[in-house]
């Protein structure tokens, strides 16, 4: 199941923020391999550095120390435009604060990532509707985000992350606003995606959610304290 | 993201902030409208002037007119015989480069009569050269001939309006006889119709009311005036204007024994006056344009900066899911452009409305032309682009992570 080469490989990664005269160590000396096809949960208390770690995995952010490789390539050496292209084509993000665009309908929100794929995309709308179907929101396709509940918005954000069929899904608290039944169905969705061969990294503080993952990485004060 | 979905996006953002967008659009609209209007005024001025200048023969025309002698020199005036046909002959002799020398006598008042119908005409006794000198072309028939002069022939060439007023539509005009002060004249030619409309006023209307008879006929059979009304000269090119004017003046001083009972008039002064007027207008219009440009630009830029400030998270998200800086730049530039264009459409409409409205009022009417509409649109595009560049650049440089965390 595990490839020889990890999909993402972190070695001694640091993310330090100078705040006044002190330094906030959001991440400190983290080494982590994520292999293709894995389902990993990143757990830890609030402020432990989970979101920071996720942003680094998707190279939205640059580390202040250490090295990150994606698909065997040192991320530091990839130019900004190619990074954006890799993100568009290979990575699906679900952000902690969903970040839907308020003026666009649900359907068009789901379609936003398609416009940043730099080739012709066939049947985009059909695929967006299918993605909405998977999160149970097909009938809301023409609503605006502010006409949806928090949990529904979160599911739209999940549908959006799936539209380009990414190899790696990075989800920050994707079930944070959902009741346990809806959460369960979303987790089943992630399991299905994982079974299709996609790599899933899921950030959560909920042990029940983490239980769905095959591997749990525990973060505390910017350090990995356990990995099983 | 293609251009059209960018425009759609922009329209959505504009619609999303109705009041704010309306205020900005209002600025752009007024700016564009004032530009269209000022441009229309300049066009109207220019066209009207050009038409009347052409009607008066342009810069290639010089006129010799009789002039009252100064009071203190009046006792000398009898030693000169005034402006006569001899002057015309001498000018033609000593300035062979002049294309046509046309001595003319205006008969005033002159009423033409045909079967009980009468019509006032600008009637001239003239030589065949009169048509070239004053830019008349024949619609049908012939002009005046040298033989007509020699024989004091009773023939007449009439303008379009005279023909249409005296004769019924469809009625043949050539070969008919009209009466002038009881003397019969055979119509041998009809002139072309001249039209240069401003609103419904024909700038060239006077030309259509002209009529010409041989100079000798007028002198012998209708009236026997001692003096010419004028001599119209047509020179080959405006470049020679100054030189020929000076020579003609010299010749005339000789012939008139130094008595200044004539005036050599050119259209140069009116050209100079026109040019300085036009310069003033263009300058004023340019200033109006520049201020409107500035005001609309500031409005658009302000709106864009506010919009970007509000949408930092959107920008962050777009960049996170794969947008290039360039995509964000284009997105916001197109939004600014949309604002400019929308303001432009309303502004051009308002400007056209204003021009139409002013057609009914006043004698100096602005003119609706392609160029003023073009200038209006070009202006709105320019203002949208110029005002959008900085905000769009700012947006494109946002760091996705800062933008996502921004609250
Ligand atoms: N721009 C910044 N400047 C200073 N400190 C920062 C900055 N961004 C993050 N941090 C700090 O880094 C630490 C880790 O933040 P992070 O968002 O990764 O936490 P988290 O584990 O995702 O928490 P939560 O579960 O509440 O989302 C926090 O202590 C936070 O204050
Ligand atoms: Mg977090």
């Amino acid at each position: 199941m595990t490839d020889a080469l990890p999909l993402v490989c972190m070695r001694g990664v640091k993310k330090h923020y100078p705040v006044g005269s002190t330094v906030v160590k959001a991440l400190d000396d983290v080494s982590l391999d994520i292999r293709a096809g894995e389902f990993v949960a990143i757990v830890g208390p609030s402020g432990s550095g989970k979101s920071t770690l996720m942003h680094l995995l998707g190279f939205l952010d640059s580390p202040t120390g250490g090295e990150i490789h994606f698909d065997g390539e040192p991320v530091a050496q990839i130019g900004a435009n190619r990074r954006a292209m890799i993100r568009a084509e290979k990575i699906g993000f679900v952000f902690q604060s969903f970040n839907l665009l308020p003026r666009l309908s649900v359907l068009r929100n789901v379609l936003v990532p398609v416009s940043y794929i730099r080739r012709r995309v066939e049947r985009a709308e059909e695929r967006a509707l299918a993605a909405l179907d998977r999160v149970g929101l097909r009938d809301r396709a023409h609503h605006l985000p502010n006409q949806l509940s928090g949990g529904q918005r979160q599911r739209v954000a999940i549908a959006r992350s799936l539209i380009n069929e990414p190899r790696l899904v990075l989800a920050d608290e994707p079930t944070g606003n959902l009741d346990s039944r809806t959460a369960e169905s979303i987790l089943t969705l992630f399991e299905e995606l994982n079974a299709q061969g996609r790599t899933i990294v899921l950030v959560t503080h909920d042990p029940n959610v983490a239980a769905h993952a095959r591997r749990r990485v525990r973060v505390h004060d910017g350090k990995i304290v356990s990995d099983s | 993201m293609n251009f059209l979905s960018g425009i759609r996006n922009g329209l959505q953002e504009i619609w999303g902030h109705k009041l704010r967008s309306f205020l900005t659009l209002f600025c752009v609209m007024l700016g564009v409208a004032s530009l269209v209007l000022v441009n229309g005024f300049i066009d109207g001025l220019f066209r009207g002037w050009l038409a009347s200048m052409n009607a008066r023969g342009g810069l290639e025309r010089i006129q010799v007119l009789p002039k009252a002698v100064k009071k203190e020199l009046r006792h000398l005036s009898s030693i000169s015989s005034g402006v006569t046909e001899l002057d015309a002959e001498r000018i033609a002799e000593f300035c062979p480069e002049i294309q046509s020398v046309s001595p003319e006598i205006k008969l005033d008042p002159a009423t033409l009569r045909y079967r009980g119908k009468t019509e006032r005409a600008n009637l001239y006794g003239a030589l065949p050269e009169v048509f070239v000198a004053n830019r008349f072309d024949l619609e049908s028939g012939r002009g005046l001939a040298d033989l007509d002069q020699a024989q004091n022939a009773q023939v007449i060439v009439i303008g379009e309006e005279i023909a249409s007023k005296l004769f019924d539509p469809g009625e043949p005009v050539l070969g008919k006889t009209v009466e002038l002060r009881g003397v019969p004249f055979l119509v041998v030619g009809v002139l072309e119709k001249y039209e240069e409309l401003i609103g419904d006023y024909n700038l060239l209307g006077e030309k259509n009311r002209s009529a010409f008879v041989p100079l000798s006929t007028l002198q012998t059979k209708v009236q026997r005036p001692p003096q010419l009304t004028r001599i119209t000269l047509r020179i080959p090119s405006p470049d020679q204007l100054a030189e020929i004017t000076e020579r003609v003046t010299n010749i005339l001083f000789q012939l008139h024994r130094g008595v200044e009972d004539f005036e050599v008039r050119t259209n140069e002064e009116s050209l100079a006056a026109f040019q300085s007027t036009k310069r003033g207008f263009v300058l004023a219009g340019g200033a109006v344009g520049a201020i409107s440009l500035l005001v609309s630009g500031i409005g658009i830029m302000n709106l864009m900066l506010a919009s970007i400030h509000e949408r930092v998270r959107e920008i962050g998200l777009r960049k996170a899911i794969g947008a290039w800086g360039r995509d964000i730049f284009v997105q916001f530039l197109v939004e600014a452009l949309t604002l400019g264009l929308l303001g432009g459409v309303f502004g051009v409409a308002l400007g056209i409305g204003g021009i139409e409205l002013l057609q009914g009022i006043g004698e100096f009417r602005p003119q609706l032309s392609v160029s003023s509409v073009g200038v209006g649109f070009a202006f709105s595009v320019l203002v949208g682009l110029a005002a959008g560049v900085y905000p769009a650049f700012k947006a494109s440089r946002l760091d996705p992570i800062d933008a996502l965390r921004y609250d």
Side-chain angles (χ1 to χ4, degrees):
Chain A
M1 183 203 100
T2 48
D3 288 346
L5 206 62
L7 183 58
V8 191
C9 166
M10 293 181 138
R11 287 290 172 272
V13 168
K14 293 178 185 139
K15 185 71 191 181
H16 292 181
Y17 293 104
V19 176
S21 55
T22 60
V23 171
V24 175
K25 295 181 177 176
L27 281 182
D28 200 22
D29 201 14
V30 167
S31 295
L32 178 70
D33 284 353
I34 309 267
R35 292 177 189 282
E38 276 193 303
F39 190 160
V40 187
I42 295 175
V43 292
S46 179
S48 56
K50 306 183 296 295
S51 294
T52 307
L53 180 59
M54 197 196 90
H55 293 150
L56 287 171
L57 285 172
F59 38 86
L60 284 175
D61 211 351
S62 310
T64 45
E67 261 188 51
I68 305 174
H69 291 240
F70 185 88
D71 239 355
E73 218 179 328
V75 171
Q77 284 168 30
I78 306 177
N81 281 355
R82 210 163 76 77
R83 281 191 205 187
M85 277 175 77
I86 294 173
R87 280 204 299 273
E89 305 205 356
K90 298 187 176 167
I91 305 179
F93 287 97
V94 184
F95 294 103
Q96 198 166 1
S97 47
F98 353 121
N99 286 305
L100 300 182
L101 306 187
R103 300 214 191 293
L104 303 188
S105 70
V106 163
L107 180 65
R108 286 190 56 215
N109 257 291
V110 174
L111 281 168
V112 169
V114 175
S115 47
Y116 299 121
I117 296 251
R118 286 157 216 285
R119 53 182 157 77
R120 244 191 85 73
V121 182
E122 303 283 326
R123 299 179 299 112
E125 199 149 313
E126 209 175 300
R127 291 208 336 257
L129 286 169
L132 280 172
D133 209 18
R134 287 175 99 165
V135 297
L137 286 174
R138 195 189 182 117
D139 53 333
R140 298 301 176 108
H142 300 291
H143 289 215
L144 286 176
N146 62 12
Q147 296 166 327
L148 302 182
S149 73
Q152 287 169 328
R153 285 183 219 178
Q154 195 151 28
R155 278 142 70 198
V156 176
I158 293 169
R160 181 179 63 192
S161 75
L162 302 179
I163 182 74
N164 286 338
E165 310 203 329
R167 282 176 63 190
L168 172 63
V169 178
L170 299 174
D172 201 345
E173 302 279 11
T175 57
N177 294 283
L178 302 181
D179 60 282
S180 57
R181 258 193 54 207
T182 320
E184 203 59 40
S185 75
I186 291 296
L187 287 167
T188 313
L189 172 61
F190 280 126
E191 275 167 350
E192 279 168 30
L193 292 168
N194 182 238
Q196 287 170 4
R198 294 183 217 283
T199 311
I200 312 285
V201 176
L202 203 151
V203 172
T204 185
H205 58 263
D206 184 343
N208 293 327
V209 172
H212 283 262
R214 281 191 231 133
R215 177 180 165 198
R216 276 164 292 280
V217 175
R218 184 168 297 279
V219 188
H220 195 87
D221 278 349
K223 289 196 166 62
I224 293 181
V225 290
S226 79
D227 187 348
S228 64
Chain B
M1 175 154 342
N2 64 36
F3 186 72
L4 276 182
S5 70
I7 295 250
R8 180 171 143 181
N9 228 314
L11 288 176
Q12 236 156 3
E13 283 303 323
I14 290 167
W15 192 242
H17 299 278
K18 292 182 197 63
L19 180 64
R20 183 169 94 180
S21 306
F22 171 76
L23 291 174
T24 303
L25 281 179
F26 199 71
C27 288
V28 181
M29 182 178 83
L30 286 185
V32 171
S34 67
L35 209 72
V36 169
L37 214 60
V38 167
N39 208 65
F41 267 114
I42 295 174
D43 275 359
L45 175 79
F46 190 51
R47 204 191 75 154
W49 184 85
L50 208 70
S52 69
M53 179 77 169
N54 270 326
R56 283 182 287 134
L59 277 180
E60 289 95 339
R61 197 190 67 174
I62 302 174
Q63 282 186 326
V64 177
L65 304 164
K67 190 175 89 174
V69 182
K70 279 187 200 141
K71 218 182 232 150
E72 56 272 29
L73 298 175
R74 187 121 330 137
H75 61 284
L76 285 176
S77 64
S78 60
I79 65 168
S80 164
S81 45
V83 179
T84 62
E85 258 184 289
L86 183 69
D87 294 340
E89 277 162 32
R90 288 286 180 272
I91 290 169
E93 192 179 326
F94 292 114
C95 299
E97 65 270 46
I98 296 178
Q99 280 179 330
S100 59
V101 177
S102 166
E104 297 157 16
I105 295 176
K106 182 168 188 178
L107 186 65
D108 200 20
T111 307
L112 293 174
R113 184 184 300 274
Y114 176 72
R115 287 197 184 155
K117 281 190 252 183
T118 57
E119 190 61 32
R120 282 282 293 267
N122 301 322
L123 192 124
Y124 294 93
L127 300 186
E129 283 81 3
V130 71
F131 301 113
V132 180
N134 292 289
R135 294 192 179 166
F136 278 101
D137 285 302
L138 282 163
E139 172 67 36
S140 60
R142 64 172 179 88
L144 300 175
D146 288 330
L147 204 61
D148 295 330
Q149 304 293 334
Q151 299 180 336
N152 299 342
Q154 280 158 255
V155 294
I156 187 166
V157 175
I158 57 177
E160 184 272 340
E161 194 181 323
I162 307 250
S164 65
K165 289 261 172 71
L166 282 183
F167 298 91
D168 293 329
E171 187 184 353
V173 176
L174 300 177
K176 293 284 160 60
T177 304
V178 297
E179 249 176 55
L180 170 66
R181 294 194 182 170
V183 182
F185 280 86
L186 184 70
V187 179
V188 293
V190 178
L191 299 168
E192 264 183 16
K193 180 172 184 172
Y194 294 92
E195 198 166 55
E196 187 69 49
L197 290 176
I198 289 210
D200 40 49
Y201 174 70
N202 186 359
L203 275 173
L204 303 184
E206 285 303 311
K207 279 187 100 160
N208 297 330
R209 283 188 287 280
S210 301
F212 301 93
V213 300
L215 184 63
S216 59
T217 314
L218 188 73
Q219 285 171 320
T220 54
K221 299 193 172 161
V222 184
Q223 202 193 25
R224 203 181 286 272
Q227 283 212 334
L228 296 177
T229 311
R230 66 187 186 207
I231 305 172
T232 302
L233 309 176
R234 187 165 158 95
I235 61 171
S237 117
D239 302 339
Q240 291 159 278
L241 183 65
E243 188 219 319
I244 292 183
T245 307
E246 196 184 332
R247 270 168 56 199
V248 167
T249 310
N250 274 329
I251 293 166
L252 291 174
F253 266 121
Q254 289 289 323
L255 289 170
H256 294 222
R257 301 187 192 170
V259 178
E260 201 180 349
D261 57 355
F262 63 91
E263 179 193 358
V264 179
R265 190 186 289 172
T266 68
N267 283 328
E268 216 178 10
E269 261 169 50
S270 104
L271 175 72
F274 168 74
Q275 273 171 343
S276 76
T277 313
K278 193 184 175 201
R279 218 175 0 257
F281 261 79
V282 168
L283 228 64
V288 168
I291 291 169
S292 323
L293 189 99
L294 207 69
V295 171
S296 322
I298 291 171
I300 291 183
M301 192 184 282
N302 197 20
L303 184 98
M304 289 310 295
L305 288 173
S307 168
I308 285 164
H309 184 76
E310 262 169 28
R311 288 153 73 198
V312 166
R313 288 170 78 84
E314 168 183 341
I315 297 163
L317 174 90
R318 286 184 184 274
K319 287 192 121 182
I321 61 179
W324 289 345
R326 192 196 302 165
D327 296 322
I328 302 294
F329 181 80
V330 169
Q331 180 188 340
F332 283 95
L333 196 64
V334 169
E335 267 190 49
L337 189 68
T338 308
L339 267 174
L341 269 176
L342 209 61
V345 169
F346 291 137
V348 165
L350 187 71
I352 291 176
I355 287 178
E356 288 298 323
L357 201 74
L358 289 172
Q359 292 304 315
I361 316 162
E363 58 193 53
F364 181 55
R365 298 148 210 245
Q367 157 115 25
L368 181 60
S369 67
V370 182
S371 86
S372 49
V373 172
V375 164
F377 271 115
F379 165 88
S380 62
V381 168
L382 191 78
V383 106
L385 288 180
V389 165
Y390 171 69
F393 179 73
K394 218 179 123 171
S396 75
R397 295 294 297 269
L398 278 174
D399 188 358
I401 211 69
D402 291 341
L404 277 173
R405 281 192 189 271
Y406 181 91
D407 278 307

